[in-house]
């Protein structure tokens, strides 16, 4: 499917970092954090059709691949601004060392780049749960 068809079929909205998303699950259990209560975890469907902006989240994140082109996840440290340190490939096992799941540590800068022509569909699970108050873009 083309990007506009997938966006419509999955009821996705534009994400500020780039790509498209929809929250699909929020844990009913909450935990206190230094920035207020958060659900223990949340999940989104995320459709990447190009490159995301550098961003970071106060919580840990797990990217889980569903379909489409592999994604290069670049990590830029935990300083004031991103400085690319390493890249991991999210994709089908056995494809150039790709993994079907990639963890992003809390507070680490990240950016995603599509590695092919087909949009990539992933689930991102964030724990403690995602809140835009915990999100920062470069």
């Amino acid at each position: 499917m083309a990007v506009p068809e997938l966006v419509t079929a999955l009821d996705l909205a534009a994400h500020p970092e780039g790509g498209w998303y929809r929250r699909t699950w929020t844990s009913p259990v909450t935990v206190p954090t230094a920035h207020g209560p958060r659900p223990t975890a949340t999940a989104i469907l995320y459709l990447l059709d190009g490159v995301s902006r550098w961003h970071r989240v106060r919580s840990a994140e797990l990217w889980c691949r569903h379909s489409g082109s592999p994604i290069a996840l670049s990590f830029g440290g935990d300083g004031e601004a991103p400085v690319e340190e390493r890249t991991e490939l999210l994709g089908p096992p056995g494809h150039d060392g790709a993994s079907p799941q990639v963890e992003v540590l809390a507070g680490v800068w990240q950016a995603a780049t599509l590695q092919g022509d087909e949009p990539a569909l992933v689930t991102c699970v964030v724990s403690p749960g995602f809140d835009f108050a915990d999100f920062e873009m470069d």
Side-chain angles (χ1 to χ4, degrees):
M1 283 185 159
V3 170
E5 295 167 323
L6 282 168
V7 167
T8 299
L10 297 171
D11 193 27
L12 305 178
H15 198 291
E17 76 192 43
W20 307 87
Y21 82 108
R22 176 172 52 89
R23 184 176 283 195
T24 56
W25 176 72
T26 300
S27 171
V29 179
T30 60
V31 293
T33 74
H35 305 282
R38 300 287 187 263
T40 54
T42 57
I44 65 167
L45 281 175
Y46 181 66
L47 181 69
L48 182 66
D49 59 348
V51 177
S52 78
R53 291 179 55 185
W54 280 104
H55 64 283
R56 63 180 171 178
V57 179
R58 287 187 183 127
S59 300
E61 189 170 352
L62 183 65
W63 287 57
C64 305
R65 178 189 185 273
H66 294 296
S67 64
S69 297
I71 296 173
L73 280 172
S74 298
F75 300 92
D78 60 2
E80 289 301 311
V83 177
E84 189 164 345
E85 295 179 344
R86 65 184 175 84
T87 300
E88 289 190 37
L89 191 62
L90 178 71
H95 176 85
D96 295 332
S99 174
Q101 293 183 341
V102 174
E103 177 187 11
V104 181
L105 298 176
V108 170
W109 289 100
Q110 61 178 293
T113 305
L114 195 64
Q115 300 295 292
D117 296 329
E118 188 180 349
L121 181 63
V122 301
T123 288
C124 294
V125 178
V126 177
S127 179
F130 182 82
D131 188 302
F132 272 104
D134 301 331
F135 176 77
E136 179 183 4
M137 284 193 297
D138 183 45

